[in-house]
Amino acid sequence: MTAFTSSGPARRLISILRQAGITNQQVLDVIETTPRQLFMPESLAHKAYENTALPIGNGQTISQPLMVATMTQLLMQHDCKKVLEIGTGSGYQTAILARLVDHVYSVERIAQLQYQAKRRLRSLDLHNVSMRHGDGWEGWRSKAPFDGIIVTAAATEVPQALVEQLADGGVMIIPVGDKQQTLTVLRRFGDTIEQQRIGDVRFVPLVKGDLL
Ligand code: SAH
């Protein structure tokens, strides 16, 4: 099993996340000991523990640690065992989730990013992840329902397919909007959907288009 270890820069990042209001100790521990430098080009590794988003190629970014922490904390307020992630990207958020829940299903439209993410997760001995090269607007119907759904790209509207794939009592964390985006928490209770707006955010778009 991989040793997940801490370091000075990782501890400094954790104190920034704490000051910014992240209180879930399990989430903080997992972020502190997951090597973020593995999830970016080597030339950027010296910035791995800065609280910023960074380019990962193909016009995409690895999300800011505070955003990963915020979304993960929101998800973990509910008893999520089986989680669907839309937008694997670097695989960093996937790795954090894999260390906290039973199983992560992750969908990505760019094959090259998906391939790299798969290798990184394997190198960390994280095997409770299934990946699909597909369109996140469609979710992953054959694996539904999910206790939790986390979308790491901004959707112009909440994808109906994702609402349908949410378990009764399940929670979805999703940035909604185009130029103006709002991080939104959506809960499903039978046919009733409750939405709560968390705050303004900035994500790359959840693309409507062909797979790459
Ligand atoms: N959580 C990732 C975020 C990556 S950025 C990380 O921290 O690394 C968002 C990702 O969503 C990109 O990899 C992008 O290719 C992917 N994406 C965008 N539109 C998509 C769609 N329709 N279906 C699946 N993935 C999509």
Side-chain angles (χ1 to χ4, degrees), residues 16 22 30 43 50 53 61 65 74 120 123 135 153 160 170 192 208:
I16 290 169
I22 304 300
V30 166
S43 58
E50 289 180 14
T61 52
L74 286 168
R120 289 166 178 151
S123 79
D135 180 6
Q160 187 53 33
T192 308
K208 280 186 175 157

Side-chain angles (χ1 to χ4, degrees), residues 24 26-27 30 72 76 80 95-102 128:
N24 184 316
Q26 232 192 333
V27 171
V30 166
T72 309
M76 298 312 292
C80 288
I96 300 292
L97 290 171
R99 296 184 61 196
L100 290 165
V101 306
D102 289 354
N128 56 337

